[in-house]
């Protein structure tokens, strides 16, 4: 009986000894898979380490995009608020504006032809007057090209006006009118403090410039400035000296003034202080001499007239 149990045990052992054979294969496969998983993990860690700066950059870019989106949203809300105060569309009024714009353009072009100049478009960014005069000062070799920009011209206008307040104060109304805080009594003109703020806005902001600034620049650079416009007179002249301007080739800065050039243009300085976000249609361009061949043609034609 004992021997039978031993035989049964041996038989059982034999069955057990044969069973692990497939497990050896499974263990080898497991080890292989383990090494593969470790290798894959190392590769993932390497990639994650290498992409850390990119993740940071992505977050920074995302923040910039969010900031830009918020800015655009604010601009949209501002535009929507302003739109509430805008008149409704009137086809007849729009047609009238279009006609007046064409008439103005035709008159300006005719005067330009008489002067032998052509319009050089200036970016309508709030600095157009100063950029147009800067372009002229470069053409006349009064300013080197590196300094012929709106910032230089703005500073020149503001500095001259600050040095000569008596020449300008009588012609610049107070921002809030004669009854406004800070206005001079019974005149409605700017006080000294208001005038200083006005000049600083001309120098440091995108405030729109006009006649006072043209006068200041004409005197600051001692150069006549001719402003061609669609109204009457067709040419407004600022001549600080005794330059004979009957000769169209006289040394002078020439610019054009467009009352209806752009729907979104620029803001005058005194309005900019109060409502810096509003725009008008007024615009200035530079008037450059025509091509040499065209100038010669004009001269030949004048001989036979």
């Amino acid at each position: 009986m004992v021997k039978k149990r031993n035989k049964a045990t041996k038989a059982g052992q034999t069955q057990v000894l044969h069973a692990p054979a497939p497990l050896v294969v499974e263990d080898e496969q497991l080890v292989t898979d383990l090494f593969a998983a470790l290798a894959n993990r190392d590769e993932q860690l390497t990639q994650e380490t290498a992409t850390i700066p990119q993740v940071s950059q992505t977050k920074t870019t995302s923040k910039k995009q969010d900031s830009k989106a918020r800015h655009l949203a604010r601009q949209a809300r501002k535009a929507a608020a302003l739109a509430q105060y805008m008149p409704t569309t009137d086809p007849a009024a729009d047609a009238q504006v279009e006609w007046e714009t064409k008439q103005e353009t035709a008159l300006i072009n005719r005067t330009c032809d008489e002067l032998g100049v052509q319009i050089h478009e200036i970016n309508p960014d709030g600095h157009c007057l100063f950029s147009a005069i800067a372009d002229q000062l470069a053409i006349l070799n009064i300013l080197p090209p590196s300094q012929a920009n709106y910032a230089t011209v703005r500073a020149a206008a503001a500095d001259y006006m600050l040095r000569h307040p008596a020449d300008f104060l009588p012609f610049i109304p107070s921002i809030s009118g004669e009854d406004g805080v800070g206005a001079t009594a019974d005149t409605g003109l700017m006080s000294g403090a208001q005038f200083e703020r006005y000049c600083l806005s001309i120098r440091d902001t995108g405030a729109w410039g006009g006649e006072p600034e043209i006068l200041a620049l004409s005197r600051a650079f001692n150069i006549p400035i001719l402003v061609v416009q669609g109204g009457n007179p067709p040419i407004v002249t600022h001549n600080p000296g005794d330059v004979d301007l009957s000769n169209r080739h006289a040394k002078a800065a020439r610019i054009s003034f467009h009352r209806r050039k752009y729907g979104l243009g620029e803001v005058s300085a005194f309005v900019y202080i109060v409502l810096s976000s509003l725009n008008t249609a007024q615009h200035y361009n530079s008037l450059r001499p025509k091509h040499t061949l065209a100038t010669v043609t004009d001269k030949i034609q004048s001989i036979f007239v």
Side-chain angles (χ1 to χ4, degrees):
M1 293 297 295
V2 175
K3 290 182 180 181
K4 288 182 180 181
R5 285 197 299 269
N6 289 340
K7 288 181 180 181
T9 304
K10 288 181 180 180
Q13 289 177 351
T14 301
Q15 292 175 358
V16 173
L17 288 175
H18 286 289
L23 295 178
V24 174
V25 177
E26 292 178 1
D27 290 341
E28 291 178 350
Q29 185 63 41
L30 181 62
V31 171
T32 301
D33 293 342
L34 180 60
F35 277 112
L38 289 173
N40 185 46
R41 179 57 180 166
D42 290 340
E43 183 178 357
Q44 289 180 353
L45 289 173
T46 303
Q47 292 177 352
E48 290 173 0
T49 305
T51 56
I52 287 176
Q54 297 178 2
V55 172
S56 176
Q57 183 177 2
T58 302
K59 290 182 179 180
T60 303
T61 304
S62 178
K63 289 181 179 179
K64 291 181 179 179
Q65 291 175 346
D66 291 343
S67 176
K68 184 177 181 179
R70 289 194 297 270
H71 172 71
L72 293 176
R74 287 194 299 269
Q75 293 297 96
R77 289 194 296 270
K78 184 185 295 184
L82 292 174
Q84 296 178 359
Y85 300 95
M86 297 296 289
T88 58
T89 302
D90 185 347
D94 292 344
Q96 177 67 20
V97 170
E98 183 178 358
W99 180 84
E100 291 176 358
T101 301
K102 290 181 178 179
Q103 287 293 107
E104 179 187 54
T105 302
L107 292 172
I108 291 175
N109 287 338
R110 185 174 67 185
T111 303
C112 288
D113 290 339
E114 294 173 357
L115 294 175
V117 295
Q118 58 189 355
I119 293 177
H120 172 69
E121 294 286 347
I122 297 296
N123 187 26
D125 56 1
H127 307 292
C128 66
L129 169 65
F130 307 99
S131 295
I133 293 179
D135 184 71
Q136 289 291 301
L137 295 176
I139 292 173
L140 298 171
N141 295 319
I142 295 176
L143 282 179
S146 61
Q147 298 179 20
N149 53 63
Y150 67 77
T152 300
V153 178
R154 277 187 176 278
D159 291 345
Y160 186 90
M161 294 173 73
L162 284 169
R163 292 197 306 269
H164 304 85
D167 294 344
F168 300 95
L169 267 174
F171 307 101
I172 303 179
S174 173
I175 300 170
S176 52
E178 62 182 37
D179 297 326
V181 177
T184 53
D186 301 325
T187 64
L189 301 178
M190 285 187 177
S191 65
Q194 285 182 331
F195 180 71
E196 182 176 357
R197 289 196 298 272
Y198 174 94
C199 293
L200 293 179
S201 74
I202 290 296
R203 186 190 68 188
D204 299 329
T205 74
W208 188 78
E211 287 294 312
E213 291 70 40
I214 296 174
L215 176 61
L217 291 169
S218 176
R219 295 178 179 178
F221 290 103
N222 193 31
I223 187 75
I225 298 180
L226 280 61
V227 183
V228 175
Q229 61 179 6
N232 191 24
I235 302 176
V236 178
T237 302
H238 300 268
N239 192 350
D242 298 325
V243 178
D244 181 11
L245 297 176
S246 61
N247 179 4
R248 74 177 191 179
H249 300 293
K251 187 175 183 179
R254 296 172 174 85
I255 61 177
S256 59
F257 173 58
H258 308 260
R259 284 183 175 85
R260 297 187 179 278
K261 182 67 174 177
Y262 297 102
L264 293 178
E266 303 162 350
V267 182
S268 59
F270 65 90
V271 174
Y272 187 91
I273 298 174
V274 182
L275 299 172
S276 61
S277 63
L278 294 180
N279 297 306
T280 69
Q282 298 177 349
H283 181 68
Y284 287 92
N285 280 322
S286 176
L287 300 178
R288 292 182 175 181
K290 290 184 178 180
H291 191 273
T292 304
L293 180 60
T295 303
V296 172
T297 302
D298 291 342
K299 289 182 179 180
I300 294 175
Q301 290 177 347
S302 66
I303 296 174
F304 298 96
V305 173

